[in-house]
């Protein structure tokens, strides 16, 4: 009884210590990842459903860890948010997307908007909006409106976040509401943000042609988007049936494995040559 209990506690403590060490390692590794250029962006095409033409790219973060290989964003972004490192990573991602967009443009490739994910934490930094606007002002005028920001609904709770969004909107930066349809939506706030697009979460789209409940929720949210005069990008479209159903509902844009997986930046160059927007 007692001996077993103590053994159990010891194992538990060892487990806790191992966890703590792993977290410290992850924090150290995330910090050095920025310095050692282990991050890169991949770009997923966004498509007009009626013409199948390219309308933009979403920039998605990738981390190549020297020992552990590729680590998925869902395995490090929550931790990067807890520790605040996400702010530095987010700045890097914005700069990188701007640099790659400029490079494609200078190479004579067709120009389409690139949307960059912004963490809730970044919006809570009072200087965030100004720093984004400053960066964009360094760009040639024709490129400026081609960087969009993807925001999530959880960001809408804080006053500072709202102020940041208002400043970004006043500077005419296209703003997309990400993961729409998950969790709590403050519709009165959403309607006042000056958003340009709503991104419908993958969970709403998944299997929608065969799921009556999903169809009802999806249709209701589409009516809402229409009432707010916001264009919709459906995320996570994996089948032609899903694409067809969305097209029939009047959804303009989509993104998902059915159209294209996220592309390495070198692949984007070929993609842009073959898929003129
Ligand atoms: P998200 O912003 O909702 O991005 C869409 C995710 O869905 C991406 O996962 C994308 O690869 C994946 N996806 C696209 N099409 C399909 C599909 O047809 N089926 C399925 N099952 N998945 C699809 P990824 O790249 O692993 O990113 C996961 C999340 O990590 C993102 O979700 C976003 O919340 C976060 N993230 C990625 N990059 C950044 C970044 O630069 N900054 C911040 N703050 N968050 C980022
Ligand atoms: Ca996103
Ligand atoms: Ca999303
Ligand atoms: Ca998501």
């Amino acid at each position: 009884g007692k001996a077993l209990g103590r053994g159990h506690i010891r194992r538990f403590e060892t487990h806790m210590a191992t966890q703590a060490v792993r977290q410290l390692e992850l924090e150290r590794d995330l910090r050095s990842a920025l310095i050692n250029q282990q991050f890169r962006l991949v770009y997923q095409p966004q498509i007009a459903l009626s013409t199948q033409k390219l309308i933009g790219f979403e920039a998605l973060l990738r981390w190549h860890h020297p020992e552990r290989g590729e680590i998925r964003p869902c395995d490090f972004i929550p931790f990067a948010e807890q520790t605040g490192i996400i702010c530095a990573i987010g700045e890097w991602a914005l700069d990188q997307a701007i640099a790659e967009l400029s490079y494609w443009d200078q190479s004579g490739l067709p120009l389409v908007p690139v949307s960059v994910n912004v963490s809730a934490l970044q919006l809570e930094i009072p200087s965030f909006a100004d720093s984004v606007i400053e960066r964009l002002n360094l760009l040639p005028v024709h490129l400026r409106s081609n960087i969009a920001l993807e925001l999530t609904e959880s960001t809408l709770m804080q006053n500072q976040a709202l102020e940041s969004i208002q400043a970004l909107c006043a500077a005419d930066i296209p703003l997309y509401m990400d993961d729409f349809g998950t969790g709590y939506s403050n519709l009165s706030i959403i309607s006042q943000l000056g958003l340009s697009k709503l991104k419908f979460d993958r969970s709403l789209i998944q299997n929608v042609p065969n799921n009556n409940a999903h169809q009802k929720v999806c249709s209701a949210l589409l009516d809402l988007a229409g009432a707010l005069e916001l264009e919709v990008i459906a995320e996570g479209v994996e089948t032609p049936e899903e694409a067809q159903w969305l097209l029939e509902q009047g959804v303009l844009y989509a993104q998902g494995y059915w159209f294209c997986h996220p592309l390495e930046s070198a692949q984007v160059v070929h993609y842009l040559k073959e898929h003129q927007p």
Side-chain angles (χ1 to χ4, degrees):
K2 261 187 184 165
L4 220 171
R6 265 201 301 276
H8 184 75
I9 287 165
R10 207 167 295 130
R11 272 200 302 282
F12 180 69
E13 281 170 347
T14 309
H15 175 72
M16 292 288 280
T18 311
Q19 282 285 92
V21 168
R22 286 197 121 246
Q23 298 263 300
L24 278 172
E25 277 173 2
L26 187 59
E27 183 169 354
R28 181 202 61 199
D29 290 355
L30 271 173
R31 289 188 192 286
S32 68
L34 268 175
I35 299 161
N36 297 320
Q37 296 173 307
Q38 292 161 8
F39 291 119
R40 68 186 191 284
L41 293 177
V42 293
Y43 296 88
Q44 188 174 37
Q46 297 165 331
I47 303 292
L49 278 164
S50 62
T51 60
Q52 309 254 331
K53 289 213 172 204
L54 179 71
I55 60 120
F57 289 107
E58 177 178 9
L60 294 159
L61 195 62
R62 293 292 177 267
W63 180 17
H64 188 87
H65 188 284
E67 285 114 39
R68 293 164 62 193
E70 293 287 321
I71 304 183
R72 297 181 307 166
C74 61
D75 292 328
F76 70 86
I77 283 179
F79 185 74
E81 288 184 325
Q82 275 172 44
T83 52
I85 305 172
I86 192 65
C87 295
I89 298 175
E91 270 181 47
W92 176 86
L94 180 64
D95 285 341
Q96 181 70 4
I98 289 174
E100 293 191 299
L101 178 77
S102 306
Y103 171 75
W104 297 328
D105 180 60
Q106 279 162 23
S107 311
L109 294 164
L111 185 59
V112 291
V114 172
S115 59
V116 179
N117 289 285
V118 170
S119 159
L121 240 60
Q122 291 176 273
L123 290 169
E124 285 166 28
I125 301 173
S127 60
F128 175 72
D130 280 343
S131 89
V132 172
I133 294 164
E134 256 169 48
R135 274 159 222 250
L136 292 177
N137 281 343
L138 297 174
L139 282 174
V141 178
H142 72 286
L143 292 184
R144 282 182 204 164
S145 58
N146 286 293
I147 292 286
L149 301 180
E150 298 200 1
L151 319 172
T152 50
E153 290 180 62
S154 60
T155 61
L156 307 181
M157 304 305 135
Q158 297 277 335
N159 273 330
Q160 179 56 55
L162 286 174
E163 274 180 43
S164 298
I165 293 171
Q166 274 157 8
L168 295 165
C169 173
D172 288 327
I173 298 169
L175 303 176
Y176 305 170
M177 182 54 56
D178 207 351
D179 300 341
F180 185 73
T182 60
Y184 171 80
S185 292
N186 189 329
L187 296 175
S188 80
I189 289 184
I190 283 194
S191 67
Q192 290 168 43
L193 287 178
L195 299 172
S196 51
K197 290 184 170 59
L198 288 180
K199 298 192 74 178
F200 273 35
D201 192 70
R202 179 161 63 91
S203 59
L204 287 171
I205 311 302
Q206 223 164 21
N207 213 22
V208 80
N210 310 310
N211 185 320
N212 216 264
H214 279 192
Q215 287 183 9
K216 282 184 182 153
V217 174
C218 226
S219 306
L221 291 177
L222 284 170
D223 287 344
L224 184 73
L228 297 174
E229 295 179 21
L230 293 173
E231 294 179 333
V232 170
I233 303 181
E235 288 193 293
V237 176
E238 293 182 347
T239 68
E241 291 76 20
E242 288 164 2
Q244 182 60 31
W245 189 84
L246 291 162
L247 178 64
E248 284 163 9
Q249 303 305 305
V251 174
L252 292 179
Y253 310 119
Q255 191 182 329
Y257 296 162
W258 170 249
F259 299 103
C260 195
H261 281 256
L263 302 168
E264 297 292 334
S265 82
Q267 295 175 296
V268 169
V269 172
H270 299 288
Y271 190 92
L272 279 170
K273 285 179 186 157
E274 284 159 22
H275 302 77
Q276 300 282 327

